[in-house]
Amino acid sequence: MTTLRAWRGAILAASLLFAGAGAHQPLFNPGSGTLESAFRVPQPTMSKVITVQGRAGGRDWYALSTGAGFRLDVAVFVSSACDAAYRPRLWLVGPGVPARAEQPDFVPDGWGAVSVSGPYSAYSGHGVVGWRGPTLTRTLGAGTHYLVVEHGARGGWSFISLAGAEVPGGTPEGRAALGRFARCGA
């Protein structure tokens, strides 16, 4: 079983490494557990896949600086090696986001938060075998907005996938992290 997972990881990394112009830009988030340490998403209009090793009980923040009319289309993916206990929750947080009746404790005063709910579904495509969370789509105004991935009681490898223009790019660290996505734990 471990050998199969290693092969899946190698296939995923190779697929995204050599996919050319049709691939999301792979990036690695080494951890961004607070608003102040938010991972700054470069060029959010370009498609991205940002891999992170989520910590049990933790969350990761992603900052998106956008122009007016930016169309956000994002989902969280979890490795097929992870059991059903690891299903992170995705939030859009920031000024101008509608406030909920009961705001999560991590949302600053005066900001709103929306999340997507629904089950994760089996996913296989683009070299990825895993579980896909519900998609969060919104048209945003100009400014900085934040995505927050709440990891829940379990940790594991996941990534967010941002839709956008398909332009080659990414980083070596991002491609290496995709290889680790095929496992759930450390």
Side-chain angles (χ1 to χ4, degrees), residues 51-62:
T51 306
V52 67
Q53 183 177 17
R55 300 154 321 284
R59 52 183 80 85
D60 283 288
W61 289 72
Y62 299 83

Side-chain angles (χ1 to χ4, degrees), residues 96-117:
V97 175
R100 300 163 46 103
E102 292 185 31
Q103 293 283 91
D105 64 352
F106 60 85
V107 177
D109 289 340
W111 286 16
V114 295
S115 69
V116 290
S117 61

Side-chain angles (χ1 to χ4, degrees), residues 79-90:
S79 171
S80 61
C82 298
D83 63 29
Y86 183 55
R87 297 295 184 265
R89 185 171 185 181
L90 178 63

Side-chain angles (χ1 to χ4, degrees), residues 55-74:
R55 300 154 321 284
R59 52 183 80 85
D60 283 288
W61 289 72
Y62 299 83
L64 301 165
S65 294
T66 66
F70 174 78
R71 183 70 178 158
L72 176 66
D73 183 347
V74 61

Side-chain angles (χ1 to χ4, degrees), residues 1 8 18 21 24 36-38 54 86 91 101-102 111 113-114 116 121 125 127 138 143 152 157 173 181:
M1 185 75 137
R8 283 183 182 163
F18 298 110
H24 284 31
E36 296 74 29
S37 67
Y86 183 55
W91 295 86
E102 292 185 31
W111 286 16
V114 295
V116 290
S121 58
R138 290 278 191 286
W157 286 92
E173 296 84 5
F181 175 78

Side-chain angles (χ1 to χ4, degrees), residues 22-186:
H24 284 31
Q25 296 177 351
L27 301 172
F28 174 61
N29 177 358
S32 53
T34 65
L35 170 64
E36 296 74 29
S37 67
F39 181 89
R40 300 254 170 229
V41 178
Q43 300 175 308
T45 58
M46 308 293 176
S47 65
K48 308 270 189 261
V49 58
I50 307 170
T51 306
V52 67
Q53 183 177 17
R55 300 154 321 284
R59 52 183 80 85
D60 283 288
W61 289 72
Y62 299 83
L64 301 165
S65 294
T66 66
F70 174 78
R71 183 70 178 158
L72 176 66
D73 183 347
V74 61
V76 177
F77 288 75
V78 171
S79 171
S80 61
C82 298
D83 63 29
Y86 183 55
R87 297 295 184 265
R89 185 171 185 181
L90 178 63
W91 295 86
L92 171 64
V93 176
V97 175
R100 300 163 46 103
E102 292 185 31
Q103 293 283 91
D105 64 352
F106 60 85
V107 177
D109 289 340
W111 286 16
V114 295
S115 69
V116 290
S117 61
Y120 273 67
S121 58
Y123 180 84
S124 179
H126 299 94
V128 174
V129 177
W131 299 95
R132 180 183 184 171
T135 300
L136 177 61
T137 56
R138 290 278 191 286
T139 300
L140 303 178
T144 301
H145 298 83
Y146 296 89
L147 297 171
V148 178
V149 177
E150 257 189 311
H151 297 287
R154 294 284 283 262
W157 286 92
S158 63
F159 65 73
I160 61 170
S161 175
L162 289 159
E166 299 285 348
V167 176
T171 64
E173 296 84 5
R175 287 184 276 285
L178 281 171
R180 294 189 295 271
F181 175 78
R183 58 186 185 216
C184 197

